[in-house]
Amino acid sequence: MKKFILLAIASILTNLVSAQRVEVTPTFGYTFSGTVKGYYGTYDVQNAMLYGAKLDVEFIDLTYFELSYRRNDPTLEYITSSQIHKEANTGTAHYMAGVLRELNNGTFRPYGVINLGLTRYWDKGDSDFRKWFFSTEFAIGTKIFITDNLGFRFQASVTTPWDFDGGGIYWGIGGGSSANLTFGVPIAHWDLSGGIIISLPD
């Protein structure tokens, strides 16, 4: 998958020379994750603010190659069946590449996105936990341009990490005299985001 990302970057950079339009969009928003009930208790990946950026390069009319990066820092909370709470500070990042298709080229430009890429999870505490997953992203949104080179972008998306070994995000939470516990979370990340589009001159 890393090779796929590198090939996608190379393809976009090649198309920059002949691109009809190039857009850079810093983004900011909010991620809704979820709660999963396990055998020993409940695991809650809490909602969190997100930030990132997108690069879009038009290669045919209304169709763009897109590269995107976004990150958030959710708290992972584990609640045992006896209502004991444990928490871990974590990080989540998505590295995606794909295609954005606009419906028209007016002031308001609704669009859809299909992306593939990698999702990375890590523990920001004492453990050295790191895990990568292949991920897919589907999104809809709209662009609103106030000039030819400046506008706003609003998007709703869902990103799903895939574990082909059967499971999800494996994390360990320990403490006290209890043994460490691991769990799998088949979880989707639902994002609402917005940003300012800066379109480079043709």
Side-chain angles (χ1 to χ4, degrees):
M1 183 50 59
K2 292 181 180 179
K3 290 182 179 179
F4 170 80
I5 297 293
L6 292 175
L7 288 173
I9 293 172
S11 176
I12 288 181
L13 292 177
T14 299
N15 277 276
L16 280 173
V17 177
S18 58
Q20 300 179 52
R21 187 177 181 89
V22 178
E23 297 175 358
V24 178
T25 310
T27 57
F28 186 77
Y30 200 73
T31 295
F32 301 87
S33 294
T35 299
V36 175
K37 290 187 177 180
Y39 183 78
Y40 296 102
T42 299
Y43 303 91
D44 183 6
V45 181
Q46 297 186 359
N47 305 333
M49 304 302 296
L50 69 87
Y51 54 92
K54 302 178 186 294
L55 171 66
D56 294 272
V57 180
E58 188 178 27
F59 62 97
I60 58 175
D61 287 345
L62 306 179
T63 305
Y64 296 73
F65 285 121
E66 178 171 280
L67 286 179
S68 67
Y69 166 81
R70 67 187 186 282
R71 169 182 169 166
N72 59 26
D73 300 283
T75 298
L76 176 64
E77 184 176 34
Y78 170 56
I79 306 171
T80 69
S81 55
S82 58
Q83 298 301 305
I84 297 174
H85 290 244
K86 300 178 181 179
E87 290 187 353
N89 294 319
T90 68
T92 303
H94 307 285
Y95 309 83
M96 311 300 291
V99 176
L100 180 148
R101 173 71 179 182
E102 295 176 340
L103 298 185
N104 59 58
N105 59 1
T107 300
F108 294 89
R109 304 183 187 183
Y111 65 83
V113 179
I114 299 176
N115 280 335
L116 303 175
L118 296 173
T119 294
R120 179 170 67 105
Y121 299 94
W122 68 96
D123 185 351
K124 297 166 67 176
D126 295 333
S127 81
D128 59 354
F129 175 86
R130 301 285 190 278
K131 194 164 182 70
W132 293 81
F133 289 93
F134 168 79
S135 294
T136 54
E137 178 188 14
F138 300 94
I140 57 173
T142 188
K143 302 175 184 178
I144 304 172
F145 283 92
I146 55 177
T147 71
D148 288 342
N149 302 113
L150 187 65
F152 299 96
R153 175 170 172 170
F154 302 97
Q155 180 171 301
S157 63
V158 57
T159 303
T160 306
W162 296 87
D163 185 349
F164 298 103
D165 294 328
I169 307 164
Y170 291 95
W171 227 294
I173 296 181
S177 59
S178 63
N180 286 344
L181 304 175
T182 61
F183 66 99
V185 182
I187 194 169
H189 302 279
W190 299 85
D191 293 343
L192 294 176
S193 62
I196 298 176
I197 303 170
I198 302 169
S199 178
L200 305 182
D202 295 348

